[in-house]
Amino acid sequence: KKSKYLLCLAALVIAFNIAINMMEIIWKDQVKLLYPHPNDFNAYMGKVLRAIGVLSTFIGFFLCSSMIRRLGWTFSALITPIIILITGALFFGMLLLKDHELISTYTTMVGLTPLALGVLFGTLQNTITRSSKYTLFDATKEIAFIPLSPESKLKGKAAIDGIGSRIGKSGGSFVYQALLMTFGTITMSAPFVGIFLSLVIFGWIAAAKSLGKQFHHLTTQNEQLDIGVEPPTSSSDGLRT
């Protein structure tokens, strides 16, 4: 709480965990409807995990480092929330409009049911989001710790990595429990989840922009940020204490 820099960095971690946790609950609920048998469900999830591994490896080897180096920290840090915003809008749009006549016509043309198409959009969302998390998001988060002093880096990483992710996951679960108690089912609560996630992601984008400006200032001025250390004071005899 003493450092705006670390607050922005914590906001990124908390927002990501809220977003991915809440979206994953709805997506897995749709997958279970499409594949009610446990063996079919597990087989499908195995394919998704393999796809995440392949895409993460490709991004990590060929895109991640060169993108951060050429496009800068801020642009690279904004990629993950923008990906979640776009793919999440497609997934929730498909979920909420699956009974619309236009959607029904399109699904008939491509040979898929509205449920199957919704699961496909959710799978793309989860695969791309997870892959960007394991590459761009984690890389930019770790780079953001570089301008901190050793003591501040230790305190910041302990607080953000140790507590921030848990706050995000538990916060997302708490919101879901409240919505389920209100609306009864995950599907009925989906519109309100979408609105809440939109606010979270826009807050994430604002925090990333603010952190990017601070990071750019510290790195261009070759400064080191120190937080949580009281400045020296003077005693009555003039000696520093």
Side-chain angles (χ1 to χ4, degrees):
K1 69 181 182 180
K2 295 179 181 179
S3 169
K4 180 182 177 182
Y5 190 91
L6 287 183
L7 280 175
C8 290
L9 189 52
L12 267 62
V13 175
I14 293 172
F16 173 82
N17 282 280
I18 289 176
I20 193 65
N21 184 49
M22 297 187 75
M23 284 187 172
E24 197 170 74
I25 291 174
I26 293 183
W27 169 64
K28 285 185 177 180
D29 179 69
Q30 296 298 301
V31 175
K32 287 179 180 178
L33 293 176
L34 185 63
Y35 298 104
H37 196 279
N39 290 338
D40 296 334
F41 176 82
N42 292 331
Y44 186 81
M45 296 305 296
K47 294 178 182 178
V48 173
L49 290 175
R50 286 194 293 272
I52 292 173
V54 171
L55 186 58
S56 299
T57 302
F58 176 80
I59 295 174
F61 272 104
F62 301 106
L63 297 178
C64 184
S65 59
S66 60
M67 187 177 295
I68 296 174
R69 199 166 48 245
R70 294 177 182 178
L71 302 177
W73 187 93
T74 303
F75 185 91
S76 301
L78 288 173
I79 290 176
T80 303
I82 290 174
I83 284 175
I84 295 179
L85 185 64
I86 295 173
T87 57
L90 292 173
F91 174 58
F92 277 97
M94 185 64 223
L95 184 65
L96 299 176
L97 300 175
K98 61 182 179 182
D99 296 326
H100 194 275
E101 182 179 352
L102 182 62
I103 299 296
S104 300
T105 303
Y106 178 75
T107 53
T108 302
M109 290 174 58
V110 298
L112 294 173
T113 64
L115 177 60
L117 189 60
V119 168
L120 176 60
F121 279 126
T123 301
L124 291 174
Q125 186 276 329
N126 189 267
T127 302
I128 298 173
T129 299
R130 287 286 184 183
S131 299
S132 65
K133 188 272 178 187
Y134 297 138
T135 52
L136 288 169
F137 181 81
D138 284 347
T140 52
K141 184 195 72 172
E142 294 302 320
I143 290 172
F145 283 108
I146 293 176
L148 298 175
S149 67
E151 182 182 0
S152 300
K153 191 181 299 182
L154 180 63
K155 292 179 179 179
K157 284 186 69 65
I160 293 171
D161 290 344
I163 301 174
S165 61
R166 290 174 175 81
I167 291 176
K169 292 177 181 178
S170 60
S173 299
F174 177 79
V175 172
Y176 249 123
Q177 291 298 325
L179 291 173
L180 284 176
M181 291 175 63
T182 304
F183 298 101
T185 64
I186 292 177
T187 303
M188 290 293 292
S189 64
F192 300 92
V193 172
I195 294 172
F196 178 77
L197 286 178
S198 298
L199 297 175
V200 169
I201 294 172
F202 282 121
W204 178 358
I205 292 173
K209 288 182 177 180
S210 176
L211 183 61
K213 292 179 181 178
Q214 298 175 73
F215 178 80
H216 178 74
H217 173 76
L218 291 172
T219 53
T220 53
Q221 299 298 322
N222 197 25
E223 296 179 2
Q224 194 174 66
L225 183 64
D226 199 2
I227 57 100
V229 179
E230 295 294 332
T233 59
S234 297
S235 62
S236 59
D237 60 1
L239 296 176
R240 293 173 61 184
T241 60

